Amino acid sequence: MLDTGYIQDKIRQFAQEREWEKFHTPKNIAMALTVEAAELMEQFQWLDSEEAKNVMQTPKGEAVRQEVADVAVYLLRLCDLLQIDLQSAIEHKMKLNAEKYPVELSRGHARKYDEL
Ligand SMILES: [Mg+2]
């Protein structure tokens, strides 16, 4: 299980040691999160579906692993700054998603909730 509190402490300490707290505003971290998500997406650019499924067994696998970590670091940093409990936020959103996408209307296709 991911110990988000431990990781958030480490990220906070990393920023403090470098006097980067002044840069770690919620806006800047949200932007950095998006940049890192794009870097993750870049690793899949031009791969076909089969290549993408097997990416971790290729030289790109390590880059994917690192970009996933970058995304997680900024997401956890944003939650820390905004005092969002990530686990309860996820549980709440999954409950909303389940209501939005009832199994009987959503099974087996990828239509958006307003097209069910
Ligand atoms: Mg990166």
Side-chain angles (χ1 to χ4, degrees), residues 20-32:
W20 286 356
E21 297 108 312
K22 60 188 168 227
F23 307 119
H24 281 200
T25 64
K27 178 193 73 77
N28 286 350
I29 297 301
M31 292 176 75

Side-chain angles (χ1 to χ4, degrees), residues 23-80:
F23 307 119
H24 281 200
T25 64
K27 178 193 73 77
N28 286 350
I29 297 301
M31 292 176 75
L33 171 59
T34 303
V35 170
E36 295 301 341
E39 289 178 2
L40 174 60
M41 190 166 56
E42 186 179 24
Q43 298 306 317
F44 293 93
Q45 191 175 25
W46 311 123
L47 300 184
D48 65 29
S49 294
E50 209 50 42
E51 290 169 330
K53 274 185 205 170
N54 298 314
V55 73
M56 296 309 291
Q57 285 74 52
T58 74
K60 282 180 177 280
E62 178 56 22
V64 169
R65 187 169 176 266
Q66 290 187 24
E67 299 306 345
V68 164
D70 284 341
V71 168
V73 164
Y74 281 125
L75 180 62
L76 288 169
R77 183 63 171 145
L78 186 62
C79 289
D80 190 24

